Structures are given as C-alpha cells and as structure tokens.
Amino acid sequence: MTDIIGAVGQTCECMNSCGVPAAVGAEFHSFFSIEDNWSSLKDAKEDLQVVQTTINCKVAVEIDKSRGVNPQVQLWLSRVEEIINDKTLEEEYNKLARCGFFCSCTPNFPRRRKVGKKITKYLGHVNDLIDNGKNFADVGVDLPVDPVDSIPIAKTFGMETMLEQLNKYFEDKERCIIGVWGQGGVGKTTLLTIFNNQLNGSKDFHVVILIDVSNSEMLDVRAMQRTITDRLGLPWVDTETEDTRARLLMKALARKRFVILLDDVRKEFHLEDICIPLPDTVNGSKIIMASREQDVCIEMGAQQSLIKMQLLGAQASWNLFFSNLSTDARRSIESSYSIKRQAEAITKSCQGLPLALNVTSRAMAGLKSLNDWRDAMSAISTDLIEIGGVEEIFQRMKYSYDKLDSTTKKCFLYCTLFPEYSSIRKEQLVDYWIAEGFIPQNQRWKGNVMIINKLKSACLLQETNSGQKVRLHNIIRHFGQWLANQESNFLVQSGQKVESVPEIEQWNGPQRISLMSNDIKNISLSPNCTNLETLLLQNNPNLKSLGPKFFKSMINLRVLDLSNTGIKELPECDALCQLHYLNLSQTPIIKLPKKFWVLKELRYLDLSLTDSLEETYDNCSKLLKLRILNLFRSHYGIREISNLNLDTLKELNFLGITICTEDVLKKLKKTDPLAKSTYRLSLTNCPRMRSVHVTDFNQMEHLQELYIESCPKLSELVMDQDKGGVSNLEVLTLRELPSLDNILVQSSAHYFRRLRELTIYECHKLQNINWVARLESLEKLVVSSCNGMVHIIENYQGAMQNKRNGLSEEEEIQMLIEEACQINISENKKATGEEVVENIEFPKLRSILLFDLQNLESICSPRNFQSLESVRVQECPSLVRLPVSRNHKIINLRQICGSSEWWNRLEWDGKETRRDMENYFIAI
C-alpha cells in the first residue's frame, strides 16, 4: 500500500510538471493521501484551539477595559466554534476507515474520493483561520459615546417624593428649565445623579450631560466646555478661545435633543456664554439645575418649575444611617435596646441631612459595645461653643475627622487651600504632601493609595470621573476650613478674584497661605512671617513682581508655587533654606538668582515652559537633593556638553530637559542614570542636527513626550524598531523643521504602539505621512502649515509607484508577482465566501485637525474608520474630497468643521453621501 501511494505521489508530481491542471493533481493527492491529510487536520484543529484560547483571553481583557469586541473577531470566533463542534466529517472518515480504504469493493472508491476532497478543503479552511487569528491587530474596539453616562451610586433612601416631582415636571412639555434648590448636603447632587441614570435607555434624547458648575466666585467656562466636548465625543483643542469653542459647541448641541443637568449653580450666568442653547417646546430639550438658593434658580429661568429639597424623615434617616454600619455594629444594635437608643440619638442629631448621616455613620461603622456607642454620642454632642446652622453640622461631622490619623488629617486640611470650584490633580497633591513632609520621599504610593482612598472612604474627598483628580464637596470644604481655623492657622483667599494681597499684619501668624487663582498685580510688602510653611500664588497671570525683601523672614517656607504668573525675576531668596518645592513653570522668568544654590533642601524644581529663561548660573547641578527637575520646553536649553553636568544629582528620578546641540544629546543618551530619569525631552534650535534616530533613545526607557522644534537642517527622522522592545513614547511634536523631508518607519510600527498624539507644524518639505496609518494607538492627529503636504496618506497606487522607484528590474518584477498572488488569493476567498481579513488602519484615531495646508489634495483614500469622531479643516483650499464614499462610512463621526466655502467645493461620489455627511457639518 505504501508503495502504491508513493508511486501515486510521483505520478502527481509528473502530472504537474507536464502541464496537467493543478485541480486534477490536487484531487489525486486528496484521494491517495487521505490518512496523512486527516492527521494534518487533527493537528491543525489543535493549533486552532490554541489560537482560539489566546483570542478569548484578549477579548476578556478588552471587555474588562469596557471596550467592545471587533466584529471581525466575533465572526472569526463563531466560525472557529462551528468547525471545532462539527463532527460530521469525523463520522464520515471513521465510517470509511471501518470499511477499509482499499478493499475489493469498488463502491468505496467514490466515497473515498468525496471524503478526501472534504478533508483537504477543511484543512485549508482551518489553516486560513489560524493565520487570520494570528494577524488580528486589535481584538477590541472603542464603543461609541453613550447618550447617558451612568454614574455608580450607593443605595439611597427617602428620595422617592423628590424624584416623583422631578419626573412630573420633566414630562411636562411646557417646562423646559427646572430648578432644584436646598441647603448644602441635602441630596441635590444625588437626585440629579439618580435622574441621570434613570434616563439610560431612553430614546427620547440624543445626549444627557451632567455638569458640575460650582461657580461660587468665578465661572469655570473652560471646565464646563470640556465636559460638554467630551460627552459629545468631540476633540478638545487647547488653542481655541472660549468664544470660538462656545460657537462650535452651540451649533453641535442645537442639532440634538439634549438634557443638561447643571449641579451646584451658585450664581446666575448666561447659558449662551458656555455654549448651551436655550431649550424650548419646539426642540424638546431640557435643562435641570441644582442650587442652594431659590433666587438663583429663578434668575436662570426656572421660576415656573421649582422643587425644594426636603430633609430626610426619621425612618429614611435611620435606614440611611443603618445601611452604612458593619454587620457587627448592626447586630449590636439589634441585640441591645440601650445601644439602639444611642444610635437613634446620633441619627437624630444629624437632623435628616444626608451628608451628615453618611459621614457620621461610616465613622461609626465598626462600633460594637455600649461603651463605644456612648463615647461616640459624647464626642458628637460635646458643645465646645454654642453654634448653630452649618456649624452645628460641622460639629456632628467632626467625629469622623477625629478618627483619622494625624498624617491623614493634615492631608485633608491641605485640600482646603484650593479654590471652591476646582478639582485637584492627585499627582500635584502628592507632590505637595511629600514636600511638606507628610509622606516620606520614597513612599509616594502611600499618598496615591492609602491617604486618598482613606479620605474617600470617610466621605471627605470625592474622585472625579476621570480618576486623575479629586475634589471636596462644598460643605466638606467649609467644614475643613472651620477645622483649620481651630487647629491650624490658614489664610485662604483662593479663587476669589482678589486684586491685592492681605494686609501685612495678616501674614504674621498663618502656617499656610493660599492666594491662588486670583487677579493680584504685584506684591510689594516685606512681611514678617517666620511661621509660614506654604505659599501658593499660582494662576495669578497678572502678578508681575515681588518686593525685594519679600522672602526675608520666610525661614521655614517649604512649598512655594509661582506657576502661571507674570514673575520675571525672583527677589533675594537666601532665607529660603528650608524650601523643598518650587514651581516656576509657565512664567516669563529671565534668570535664576546667582545664589540660588543656597536652596540646598530643594527636592522639586519645575522650570518647564519658561519661554524667557536665559541663565541658571549652573545652579541646578548644585541642588544635590533634587528628585524632580523639569526644564522641558524651556528657553534655557543645554548647548554645551559641559553644561550637562547633572551627574551630581544622584537622587534624581524625573528629568524634563531641553537640548540645543547634537553633542549634548549624544552624551545624554550615554549617561545611564540621566537617560533613565528622562520623561520629557525637547530638541530645540539644534543648528547642525541633520538626522534623529528615535530608537537610539532606548536608554530613556521612561520617555513619554518628545518635542522637536526649530532645527533648520534636520532632514530625516528615523523611527525603526531594529533595537527591539516597545517605546513608552505617548506624545510626539515636530515643529518648524523646514528641511525635514523624510520620516522612515518600518513596515510594522509596533515599536510606537503607545503613541497617542502626533502634531506636525511648519514642516514644509513633507509631502505625506503614510506611516501614521500603522500607529495602532494614535488618537489625535494635528497637521498645520506644511506647504509641501499633498496627501496625509497617499493612495495605494501612488504609494506603490513611489515604492517601485529605485528598484531594479528584477526587484520590480518580483514585487508585481507578489501583488498578483495576493490579489488572486483574496479573489479566490471572496469567490468561495471565505473571510478576507484586511489590515486595519487608524484603529483608535478619534480626531483629525488640519490647518493652513495650501497644497493638500487628500487626507487618504476612503475607508471604514473605526473610531474617528471629528474632522476639522481650516485654510486648505485644495482639499476637495473627504475619505468617505457610498461603501466607506465614518461610523462614529460626530462633527466636520470647516468654512461654508470649503464645504461647497467638496466633491462626492453621490448625492446620498453628501446628504449623509451634511448632518455632521458645522461651519466655522
């Protein structure tokens, strides 16, 4: 039998060489190699199951990240499941095997031929599935923005009446603006959150947006516009003015039926200033606002639809209090009448205020014995002074604060230094806490994990939706300031629009002073403040100068923040011998004091974005305790190798740096400790630099942002992956590079898989940036003022022609053969109904912004963008087509911005496509 099969195999080869059709040879092979093919099929199925397991694991990871599953992956998995579970072929093969493959019975030959062909076809199909499974670039897809952003919320009590009244007003078409008012901590935010979640699944509205206004003194227009922009799924452009952004968002909202929930409105403001169109009975949109004052709701137009929040009744108060207790505490109450009376008395003392009930009950969650409950009642009921109103609530809340350890208490009180309406970056808070000595230098995690979580658990701190910031509830902030006035000595006037600093006498006693986010012009006094440890003056853009003796008595100052001010020079700072933290970022400071080196305790120095800084007098290298040094995008760049003398900073673990010569860059790349500490790198005004190899920065393993600017001879940027590994680079900016005409990226851009933002500005020799299509994490693409840019991504035929240029005749013929083979394979798969997996380009790209590209003819050929939400085009007169067609849609598109003149010039492949796209167009 073996001899026969071997002879047949030789016959097949002979047939092929003699020009006999391949199909005939294949049929011979499937007939005589049936056993070998069956064995190969079993092995292939096992390999397929391994690939299936891998894909399923990746799918589980994407689902955990709240992402969707790529439809192509879903289809692949269903086909794999179908093949693995199909036992029909196995039964036919086993039946044939039992009859004997070469028995004397002639009728078995047709059956063998039929089964052999099936096995061959199955084997090819399984191998195709294996290849397809291994080639999936991304198994997950970003889900479209939901009309309602549901917010997790704990179980509530006693809100039914308020919610019923709100629903009644909401369903009344004549009531377009509804006002909810009541005292702080009474549950207005909770009611709006419940209502927000209740609208989930409703098809009556396109979008529901919950905005925290908190405009006690200043209306944070930027933050509110950012919230609306994010909820609409539109890109955020930092350089836009508030008025321009308001016009764009106004037009975007006007096309939708929306519900906007405005929480914590302190003062009347014009909705149009933010970008919110007035709702009416025609458009069917609604605005619901919550405020502490009835008059504010009336001024905002809710005079016919007012709802007053009521304090909780006795039973609802008890239910809320009881729900926050531990199992042991509940058992102690249920088993002891005396303990229950104590707990009821504590509940009653909170007077139905939900916030006070939450804070107090969580502080008592673990109490068990009668003595524990008596001590708690005594602590809450102690009257230090006769107080009433809000201060009475603070006295009730003080118990939960008293349970904190001393370090966490200090960290909580520190949060009260920030403006009432602001959110605070966690990273910034922890930097402050370390500088103040609350947390050891080497235990940064303690601030991020232990302290912030402990404050959140005690209901004294809230986390924002982004997870990167925290905020204080307004009543908690006032509570903290009340405590600070008792236990510490704080002077806080942050975010109050003050134009002058407190009188000199008021500086004598405070330990911490916060005057941030105001309109202070100058500080000429020389205060006597030897107790002062913290001085926060940031975000006073008109603050131009400090008195020459301003720091003279600040011998204990540890934290000084002057960022985003107009300070051009520092006065004499010899007295600041205890300073740990100094932030001068985004200031026009020209030079550091010559005796700056006396700040020997300095650990944190931020000089980033200092456009005018010219001289440091080599002071940075003398501050031996520095852990964070940030000179990113500073005018003060390192020009001489001798100036890169930071090797003395042995404790440095974060470096942002600006470099102005190639020699300095080479030294930095070779200086192991400095390279590993580099997180942000700016290459600026390097006159002789002709080429940059990004993968030469592998020593900078933590590099997250690279900014290359004003290098007149730089002609080549090489971004290959010969060095292996994956870069941590997330942001790349190329600006004012007049000679740059070549950016080389290998066929796989895996090395740059984390790159999220790419900005190219004034690179006039670049004609296209084809390589960006392979950046799998790219979310934002900005191209501006590149006169030579003809295509963002050249079409396939043009790219292939460019690729052939320079090839030898033999290489070009080989390339044509490969293309023909690939096309033939795809056509055969389509003919048999098999899946053709295409390379997915731009899997995460959300926004494209194109400005002043005079010769730009196309963005790219039409394609099905998975994530693209916004396209913005300004001053691109030659761009007459968008990457859409009848067969290629931008499925998640939300906005196309451009001039009406440009829109009217656009060419389309049909009226239907233009009509579809017109729904998203906003004229600017």
Side-chain angles (χ1 to χ4, degrees), residues 604-619:
Y604 182 111
L605 177 60
D606 193 343
L607 294 166
S608 62
L609 298 166
T610 45
D611 295 337
S612 303
L613 184 63
E614 296 179 354
E615 185 58 74
T616 66
Y617 297 107
D618 196 25
N619 274 302

Side-chain angles (χ1 to χ4, degrees), residues 37-56:
N37 287 347
W38 178 253
S39 178
S40 297
L41 178 59
K42 289 170 65 178
D43 292 342
K45 275 191 171 185
E46 291 177 359
D47 292 341
L48 181 60
Q49 286 180 302
V50 172
V51 178
Q52 180 193 33
T53 302
T54 302
I55 295 294
N56 280 328

